[in-house]
Amino acid sequence: GEGGEAGEASQMPPGFWEYALRDDDLGRGQRRIIQVATPFSPQGGKKIIVARVGKEAGVYAFDYMCPHLGVSLADGKFGVTKEGLTIECSQHKSQFNIESGQCVDWLPGGGWNALQRMVTPACNLLTYPTLVKDGNIFVDMSKAKVRGSFEEWVEDRPNMRR
Protein backbone atom coordinates (compact mmCIF):
# COMPACT_ATOMS: atom_id res chain seq x y z
CA GLY A 1 0.00 0.00 0.00
CA GLU A 2 0.92 3.66 -0.10
CA GLY A 3 2.94 5.12 2.74
CA GLY A 4 4.72 1.83 3.47
CA GLU A 5 4.77 0.19 6.90
CA ALA A 6 3.95 3.24 9.01
CA GLY A 7 0.84 4.01 6.98
CA GLU A 8 -0.47 0.47 7.36
CA ALA A 9 0.08 0.36 11.11
CA SER A 10 -1.63 3.69 11.69
CA GLN A 11 -4.92 2.31 10.39
CA MET A 12 -5.08 -0.33 13.11
CA PRO A 13 -7.31 0.40 16.10
CA PRO A 14 -5.45 1.01 19.39
CA GLY A 15 -4.07 -2.16 20.97
CA PHE A 16 -1.13 -4.57 20.90
CA TRP A 17 -1.92 -6.08 17.49
CA GLU A 18 0.13 -9.07 16.43
CA TYR A 19 0.11 -10.83 13.07
CA ALA A 20 -1.33 -14.33 13.55
CA LEU A 21 -1.68 -15.96 10.14
CA ARG A 22 -2.97 -15.50 6.61
CA ASP A 23 -6.74 -15.34 6.34
CA ASP A 24 -6.59 -18.05 3.63
CA ASP A 25 -4.82 -20.43 6.01
CA LEU A 26 -7.77 -20.69 8.39
CA GLY A 27 -10.68 -22.59 6.87
CA ARG A 28 -14.21 -22.86 8.26
CA GLY A 29 -14.32 -25.00 11.40
CA GLN A 30 -10.52 -24.97 11.69
CA ARG A 31 -8.26 -23.89 14.51
CA ARG A 32 -4.57 -23.08 14.56
CA ILE A 33 -2.21 -22.99 17.52
CA ILE A 34 0.15 -20.08 17.14
CA GLN A 35 2.73 -18.28 19.24
CA VAL A 36 2.53 -14.52 19.45
CA ALA A 37 4.25 -11.69 21.23
CA THR A 38 2.54 -9.94 24.15
CA PRO A 39 3.31 -6.74 26.07
CA PHE A 40 5.05 -8.98 28.64
CA SER A 41 7.01 -10.93 26.10
CA PRO A 42 7.90 -8.94 22.98
CA GLN A 43 9.90 -11.91 21.65
CA GLY A 44 6.75 -14.01 21.39
CA GLY A 45 6.08 -17.36 22.96
CA LYS A 46 2.50 -16.93 24.19
CA LYS A 47 0.49 -19.82 22.78
CA ILE A 48 -3.03 -19.01 21.68
CA ILE A 49 -5.66 -20.68 19.53
CA VAL A 50 -7.18 -18.89 16.56
CA ALA A 51 -10.35 -20.50 15.21
CA ARG A 52 -12.94 -19.83 12.51
CA VAL A 53 -16.22 -21.25 13.73
CA GLY A 54 -19.95 -20.64 13.90
CA LYS A 55 -22.61 -19.82 11.34
CA GLU A 56 -20.95 -16.50 10.54
CA ALA A 57 -17.53 -18.20 10.34
CA GLY A 58 -16.14 -15.53 12.65
CA VAL A 59 -12.49 -15.51 13.71
CA TYR A 60 -11.91 -15.97 17.45
CA ALA A 61 -8.72 -16.03 19.50
CA PHE A 62 -8.29 -17.34 23.03
CA ASP A 63 -5.79 -18.86 25.42
CA TYR A 64 -4.32 -22.21 24.48
CA MET A 65 -4.64 -23.54 28.05
CA CYS A 66 -7.79 -24.21 30.03
CA PRO A 67 -7.73 -21.92 33.09
CA HIS A 68 -8.43 -24.90 35.38
CA LEU A 69 -5.19 -26.92 35.19
CA GLY A 70 -3.51 -25.67 32.06
CA VAL A 71 -4.73 -28.54 29.88
CA SER A 72 -4.46 -27.78 26.16
CA LEU A 73 -7.69 -26.73 24.46
CA ALA A 74 -6.29 -27.86 21.11
CA ASP A 75 -8.73 -30.77 20.91
CA GLY A 76 -11.59 -29.11 22.81
CA LYS A 77 -15.05 -29.48 21.26
CA PHE A 78 -16.69 -26.36 19.84
CA GLY A 79 -20.38 -25.91 20.62
CA VAL A 80 -23.20 -23.39 20.37
CA THR A 81 -25.42 -22.21 23.22
CA LYS A 82 -27.96 -19.41 23.20
CA GLU A 83 -25.26 -17.20 24.72
CA GLY A 84 -22.88 -17.90 21.85
CA LEU A 85 -20.02 -20.11 20.73
CA THR A 86 -18.25 -22.27 23.28
CA ILE A 87 -15.28 -24.57 23.65
CA GLU A 88 -15.27 -27.54 26.02
CA CYS A 89 -12.07 -28.71 27.69
CA SER A 90 -11.49 -32.33 26.70
CA GLN A 91 -10.24 -33.27 30.15
CA HIS A 92 -12.82 -32.09 32.70
CA LYS A 93 -15.58 -30.74 30.44
CA SER A 94 -15.53 -27.11 31.61
CA GLN A 95 -17.06 -24.88 28.93
CA PHE A 96 -16.17 -21.33 27.99
CA ASN A 97 -17.69 -18.77 25.67
CA ILE A 98 -15.00 -18.06 23.08
CA GLU A 99 -16.32 -14.55 22.41
CA SER A 100 -16.44 -13.20 25.98
CA GLY A 101 -14.33 -15.84 27.74
CA GLN A 102 -17.13 -16.26 30.29
CA CYS A 103 -17.14 -19.64 32.01
CA VAL A 104 -20.41 -21.31 30.98
CA ASP A 105 -19.98 -24.60 32.87
CA TRP A 106 -17.22 -25.17 35.43
CA LEU A 107 -16.16 -28.75 36.17
CA PRO A 108 -19.64 -30.23 35.70
CA GLY A 109 -20.87 -33.44 37.30
CA GLY A 110 -19.90 -35.47 40.34
CA GLY A 111 -16.84 -37.36 41.51
CA TRP A 112 -13.47 -35.69 41.03
CA ASN A 113 -15.02 -32.61 39.41
CA ALA A 114 -17.27 -32.04 42.42
CA LEU A 115 -14.22 -32.13 44.72
CA GLN A 116 -12.33 -29.78 42.42
CA ARG A 117 -15.22 -27.30 42.42
CA MET A 118 -14.90 -27.02 46.19
CA VAL A 119 -11.24 -26.02 46.01
CA THR A 120 -11.03 -24.24 42.67
CA PRO A 121 -13.22 -21.20 42.01
CA ALA A 122 -14.44 -20.85 38.44
CA CYS A 123 -12.07 -19.00 36.13
CA ASN A 124 -12.83 -17.37 32.81
CA LEU A 125 -10.89 -18.02 29.62
CA LEU A 126 -8.86 -15.11 28.30
CA THR A 127 -10.05 -14.15 24.82
CA TYR A 128 -8.48 -11.70 22.40
CA PRO A 129 -10.03 -9.39 19.79
CA THR A 130 -9.27 -10.31 16.18
CA LEU A 131 -9.12 -8.25 13.02
CA VAL A 132 -8.95 -9.44 9.42
CA LYS A 133 -7.17 -6.86 7.27
CA ASP A 134 -5.62 -7.08 3.81
CA GLY A 135 -5.84 -10.89 3.86
CA ASN A 136 -4.13 -11.21 7.25
CA ILE A 137 -5.51 -12.11 10.68
CA PHE A 138 -4.29 -9.94 13.56
CA VAL A 139 -4.89 -10.51 17.26
CA ASP A 140 -4.89 -7.81 19.95
CA MET A 141 -2.76 -9.25 22.75
CA SER A 142 -2.95 -6.24 25.07
CA LYS A 143 -5.10 -8.22 27.57
CA ALA A 144 -2.56 -11.08 27.80
CA LYS A 145 -1.72 -11.70 31.44
CA VAL A 146 1.17 -14.09 31.19
CA ARG A 147 4.31 -14.67 29.25
CA GLY A 148 3.30 -18.24 28.60
CA SER A 149 5.37 -20.68 30.68
CA PHE A 150 3.42 -22.95 33.00
CA GLU A 151 5.07 -21.53 36.14
CA GLU A 152 4.17 -17.98 35.21
CA TRP A 153 0.67 -19.12 34.31
CA VAL A 154 0.18 -20.67 37.77
CA GLU A 155 1.43 -17.46 39.42
CA ASP A 156 -0.95 -15.37 37.36
CA ARG A 157 -3.97 -17.58 37.78
CA PRO A 158 -5.57 -15.55 40.61
CA ASN A 159 -5.76 -12.59 38.22
CA MET A 160 -7.91 -14.65 35.89
CA ARG A 161 -10.70 -15.23 38.41
CA ARG A 162 -13.96 -13.58 37.63
Side-chain angles (χ1 to χ4, degrees):
E2 286 170 17
E5 286 300 299
E8 300 288 306
S10 65
Q11 291 162 22
M12 299 290 278
F16 193 91
W17 292 95
E18 284 296 299
Y19 168 78
L21 69 166
R22 298 275 310 154
D23 192 28
D24 295 345
D25 291 339
L26 189 67
R28 253 198 130 99
Q30 287 189 318
R31 75 189 87 188
R32 293 273 183 274
I33 297 160
I34 56 166
Q35 294 208 350
V36 287
T38 73
F40 290 108
S41 146
Q43 301 311 308
K46 169 89 174 154
K47 263 189 181 171
I48 62 168
I49 293 175
V50 180
R52 189 189 300 274
V53 286
K55 277 210 298 281
E56 311 293 315
V59 177
Y60 302 93
F62 48 90
D63 268 356
Y64 168 75
M65 294 194 288
C66 174
H68 172 220
L69 289 176
V71 171
S72 162
L73 292 171
D75 55 354
K77 281 208 304 274
F78 288 115
V80 185
T81 67
K82 56 182 190 302
E83 279 79 37
L85 297 163
T86 58
I87 191 163
E88 177 185 279
C89 177
S90 57
Q91 191 145 1
H92 305 114
K93 309 300 180 211
S94 292
Q95 281 186 13
F96 306 93
N97 181 307
I98 61 170
E99 298 164 83
S100 66
Q102 189 71 36
C103 179
V104 181
D105 199 359
W106 183 248
L107 301 170
W112 191 85
N113 275 11
L115 289 173
Q116 279 288 300
R117 279 199 306 275
M118 289 160 61
V119 297
T120 320
C123 293
N124 294 329
L125 179 68
L126 275 175
T127 58
Y128 306 101
T130 61
L131 180 69
V132 181
K133 187 169 158 49
D134 304 326
N136 296 314
I137 296 172
F138 295 91
V139 181
D140 178 8
M141 296 304 295
S142 46
K143 272 201 312 194
K145 294 264 199 294
V146 266
R147 293 172 283 278
S149 79
F150 189 75
E151 291 70 30
E152 290 165 328
W153 177 83
V154 167
E155 267 172 49
D156 262 330
R157 246 183 114 239
N159 306 334
M160 290 155 59
R161 300 234 168 104
R162 56 181 177 198

